[in-house]
Amino acid sequence: MLIDDARDIFQIALSKLGYSGNTRDAKQIEAAYHELHKLMPNMLAFDSDNPVHNIYRREVNLVMVWNSAAFVALQAGNPLEVVWPKEGGIFWMHILAIPSKTHNVAGALQLINFLLRTEIEAQLAETIDYPTPNLAAKKLLSPKVANNKSLYPDEAVINNS
């Protein structure tokens, strides 16, 4: 099972073929499409709404999930092994942004400043099972979160992704 996200899925094929995941070359993108098409006979589902659902029901042998979903599945006792591709993983991030036409810039900045406080970031990371990039906040996390390789891969994985 793969997540239903063309950007992430094409990253896999582009990487396998030795191309940049940011390519705009139509021939490289077409080659990635053909590479992905080879997977179709083995696909059970494309699911981005609840990718861990098939793990819980043990309907799949191999699944692509976001690292936080893998962490949740592991915490629920599912027999899951997280494997980072030797070619490198796909990293993502959430952002805090203020729309250009917002009516309350001061309030938006207050919210961002609150969310970026070390202790708040640590609480968020523990609650929503997403990693924090704030190294000071990471020091406040429980060992089961801070040492989990699905949330915080080792340096070799990071450097290769």
Side-chain angles (χ1 to χ4, degrees):
M1 189 203 82
L2 296 173
I3 58 174
D4 187 16
D5 185 311
R7 177 98 176 141
D8 286 343
I9 300 304
F10 268 80
Q11 289 275 335
I12 294 170
L14 290 165
S15 177
K16 180 178 186 256
L17 296 170
Y19 303 138
S20 166
N22 297 314
T23 186
R24 293 180 179 202
D25 183 303
K27 289 183 179 177
Q28 292 178 356
I29 293 168
E30 183 177 353
Y33 168 82
H34 290 296
E35 192 65 29
L36 289 169
H37 196 265
K38 295 176 188 176
L39 298 174
M40 292 309 293
N42 297 311
M43 293 301 304
L44 174 68
F46 291 90
D47 186 352
S48 291
D49 293 330
N50 191 2
V52 296
H53 178 74
N54 291 313
I55 296 171
Y56 293 143
R57 293 177 45 185
R58 292 179 172 83
E59 294 178 343
V60 295
N61 295 322
L62 180 64
V63 62
M64 176 186 184
V65 296
W66 294 289
N67 60 336
S68 58
F71 178 76
V72 169
L74 287 166
Q75 298 311 304
N78 288 282
L80 178 69
E81 178 183 358
V82 175
V83 178
W84 290 91
K86 67 179 183 201
E87 298 83 2
I90 301 166
F91 287 153
W92 56 271
M93 70 182 88
H94 287 161
I95 61 166
L96 298 169
I98 302 171
S100 62
K101 295 183 181 187
T102 196
H103 297 290
N104 188 357
V105 173
L109 288 169
Q110 282 184 318
L111 175 61
I112 289 172
N113 287 331
F114 172 77
L115 293 172
L116 294 179
R117 288 178 22 203
T118 300
E119 65 277 7
I120 300 302
E121 279 207 49
Q123 287 176 3
L124 285 170
E126 290 275 353
T127 302
I128 64 173
D129 301 320
Y130 279 6
T132 177
N134 181 325
L135 298 179
K138 186 179 176 192
K139 291 178 183 177
L140 301 176
L141 300 177
S142 67
K144 91 172 185 182
V145 174
N147 298 325
N148 188 284
K149 296 298 182 197
S150 66
L151 292 177
Y152 298 98
D154 60 40
E155 194 171 329
V157 170
I158 292 170
N159 290 338
N160 196 35
S161 298

